[in-house]
Amino acid sequence: MNEGVVIGSWTARDTDVEIVDAAIRHLRAGHERGASRTAVWTVIAVIDDDETQVGPVVEVLRELAVGVAVYPLVISALADEPPGIDARVTLRAVERSEGDTDCIEDVFVRVRGAATQHLDAVVLPFTMPGLPVAVWLPGRLPQKDEPLPSKADLVLVETARPGSPPLVDVRATSRLFPLSDLSWHQLQSWRQLLSSLFVGREFSQFLDDVQRIDVEGEDGFRLLMAGWLVGRLRVRPDVCFLAGLETPGASVQIRARQGATAASFLAAQGSEGSRVDAYAAIDDGPAYQRTVLMPTYSVARLIERALGEPARDTVWEEAVVSAVELAERHPGTG
């Protein structure tokens, strides 16, 4: 990853936001391109009581800022620590693909004590006027009436990673906040591949009578994928069956009928890597097979996708509702 060249840094303990903002301006004043800030979003990551996440989260936003024009800010909220604010700012010169050089800064602010209850007031001086604000909450959902997410234009969450919140909580939270699910964006290639199996009149006619859906894989994958299929295909949850795998991998199989004719549609990923074998076959009729390499995107690239599609996603909401119903039918999966 092109992290750019460090052209200045500043750290302080027991400081305040005005001093931090002044330090950023001072660092920028020392570089010929530092006076201008080019950004389309302010992206704020909030980490609660877990300093081990700071490094990885800073790296994610740094990668994001190199690839797309955002203003990144990482907040570590330590409610049980003595009150105060610590900060670290690093200014980098990054050459863009079109040949221009931009200055981007990594801003990390550790907020201790009672101020963690009012993070919106802490981060306000760092936001750029007129820019939409996205708040990323690694590993959790926003709480009802939580000040900072309540003022965000977009709240980034992950629903299909180990340790993700239960989907029943995701469903309730989606009614209160403008959520964007990074796991949903990761599954986009799977959804596109499965949709492509039904292209053409010969195959699309089987969409009207799906008999059975089998989804195998890790909990988050199979619930979200199955929820999407149940919602899009307008089938009853009881025709969908979920199973784990003893080895890494994933598969989706759809069995359907058109009158007396049956057809099967399958996409299966083995344990060896990103290769996915897919086929569509009609009994005593046409069939075809294809193999694709399923991409795996970094968290930074998933955030970039989410920022590029900030509108409410009713298809995702429908998938979550169906996934909750499936989780209730399959206890222990979500």
Side-chain angles (χ1 to χ4, degrees), residues 278-317:
Y279 76 79
I282 300 173
D283 289 358
D284 299 321
Y288 73 89
Q289 183 173 350
R290 59 184 298 205
T291 297
V292 299
L293 296 180
M294 195 65 69
T296 299
Y297 299 101
S298 68
V299 177
R301 298 285 70 81
L302 293 175
I303 294 176
E304 181 179 352
R305 281 190 167 195
L307 299 180
E309 302 173 9
R312 177 184 174 187
D313 190 338
T314 56
V315 176
W316 172 78
E317 292 175 356

Side-chain angles (χ1 to χ4, degrees), residues 10 13 16 35 41 68 76 80 83 88 94 110 119 130 191 208 211 253 309 317:
W10 177 88
R13 183 171 175 82
D16 60 54
W41 281 87
V68 64
S76 176
D80 296 331
R88 180 179 69 241
V94 175
R110 181 185 292 110
L119 291 180
R191 291 184 279 121
D208 296 329
Q211 301 282 306
Q253 184 170 23
E309 302 173 9
E317 292 175 356

Side-chain angles (χ1 to χ4, degrees), residues 213-234:
I213 301 171
D214 290 275
V215 183
E216 296 183 338
E218 295 181 348
D219 284 353
F221 167 87
R222 66 178 185 257
L223 268 177
L224 201 55
M225 181 62 65
W228 171 67
L229 288 168
V230 167
R232 290 286 87 189
L233 295 174
R234 299 291 187 263

Side-chain angles (χ1 to χ4, degrees), residues 5-317:
V5 178
V6 176
I7 56 177
S9 62
W10 177 88
T11 60
R13 183 171 175 82
D14 291 321
T15 185
D16 60 54
V17 292
E18 288 79 11
I19 293 175
V20 179
D21 188 52
I24 294 173
R25 296 177 186 276
H26 177 75
L27 288 173
R28 282 187 163 273
H31 191 273
E32 60 181 354
R33 293 299 303 272
S36 63
R37 285 178 172 176
T38 303
V40 293
W41 281 87
T42 296
V43 181
I44 304 168
V46 180
I47 304 167
D48 298 314
D49 297 319
D50 186 359
E51 290 278 270
T52 63
Q53 288 193 62
V54 171
V57 169
V58 168
E59 288 296 323
V60 168
L61 291 198
R62 182 178 300 160
E63 179 186 348
L64 176 67
V66 168
V68 64
V70 300
Y71 183 65
L73 174 64
V74 177
I75 301 289
S76 176
L78 303 174
D80 296 331
E81 295 290 324
I85 293 177
D86 312 323
R88 180 179 69 241
V89 181
T90 303
L91 188 67
R92 301 171 185 272
V94 175
E95 185 173 339
R96 302 293 187 186
S97 57
E98 58 270 18
D100 295 332
T101 299
D102 281 343
C103 283
I104 61 174
E105 61 251 33
D106 302 332
V107 181
F108 167 67
V109 179
R110 181 185 292 110
V111 182
R112 297 178 274 114
T116 58
Q117 303 302 312
H118 305 282
L119 291 180
D120 54 326
V122 174
V123 305
L124 181 62
F126 301 108
T127 59
M128 297 178 66
L131 283 190
V133 174
V135 173
W136 175 34
L137 304 170
R140 73 172 179 90
L141 296 172
Q143 301 299 308
K144 183 180 179 181
D145 300 326
E146 187 175 352
L148 182 55
S150 295
K151 296 179 180 178
D153 298 281
L154 196 63
V155 179
L156 307 171
V157 298
E158 298 170 272
T159 65
R161 297 174 67 89
S164 295
L167 285 173
V168 65
D169 295 340
V170 175
R171 180 181 62 181
T173 306
S174 69
R175 298 165 181 163
L176 304 174
F177 296 92
L179 298 186
S180 182
D181 182 7
L182 303 185
S183 299
W184 180 249
H185 290 285
Q186 185 71 270
L187 291 178
Q188 181 177 358
S189 298
W190 269 93
R191 291 184 279 121
Q192 291 173 337
L193 174 61
L194 288 168
S195 297
S196 73
L197 297 180
F198 292 89
V199 171
R201 183 177 178 278
E202 290 174 311
F203 297 99
S204 64
Q205 62 183 330
F206 289 93
L207 289 169
D208 296 329
D209 191 8
V210 172
Q211 301 282 306
R212 180 183 174 111
I213 301 171
D214 290 275
V215 183
E216 296 183 338
E218 295 181 348
D219 284 353
F221 167 87
R222 66 178 185 257
L223 268 177
L224 201 55
M225 181 62 65
W228 171 67
L229 288 168
V230 167
R232 290 286 87 189
L233 295 174
R234 299 291 187 263
V235 297
R236 302 186 316 274
D238 61 0
V239 307
C240 189
F241 297 85
L242 309 179
L245 291 174
E246 294 182 0
T247 58
S251 71
V252 178
Q253 184 170 23
I254 301 169
R255 296 179 176 90
R257 301 189 70 84
Q258 179 62 31
T261 305
S264 183
F265 304 83
L266 173 70
Q269 181 178 31
S271 60
E272 66 276 5
S274 60
R275 170 175 165 163
V276 177
D277 295 310
Y279 76 79
I282 300 173
D283 289 358
D284 299 321
Y288 73 89
Q289 183 173 350
R290 59 184 298 205
T291 297
V292 299
L293 296 180
M294 195 65 69
T296 299
Y297 299 101
S298 68
V299 177
R301 298 285 70 81
L302 293 175
I303 294 176
E304 181 179 352
R305 281 190 167 195
L307 299 180
E309 302 173 9
R312 177 184 174 187
D313 190 338
T314 56
V315 176
W316 172 78
E317 292 175 356

